[in-house]
Amino acid sequence: MTGWIVGFFADESGATAIEYGLIAALVSVAAIVALTALGTSLATIFNVVSGELSSAAASAGGSTS
């Protein structure tokens, strides 16, 4: 019985799985933060391009419906 308890506490395979899980969670959080910031920047860029195209179409006499 004592040997089983010592073996149980010496086994580190669960710790390795937990470490990989924490690394995966950290990478996921970093990716979400980066993609959120990128998405906001892209939305701003597309809004500027849309405004420029609308004003160019209006000055050319086109319809902006």
Side-chain angles (χ1 to χ4, degrees), residues 41-60:
S41 297
L42 284 176
T44 302
I45 291 169
F46 284 131
N47 285 334
V48 168
V49 169
S50 175
E52 292 293 326
L53 288 174
S54 294
S55 65
S59 67

Side-chain angles (χ1 to χ4, degrees), residues 12-28:
E12 294 185 5
S13 62
T16 303
I18 291 171
E19 290 168 356
Y20 283 131
L22 290 173
I23 291 170
L26 180 63
V27 168
S28 299

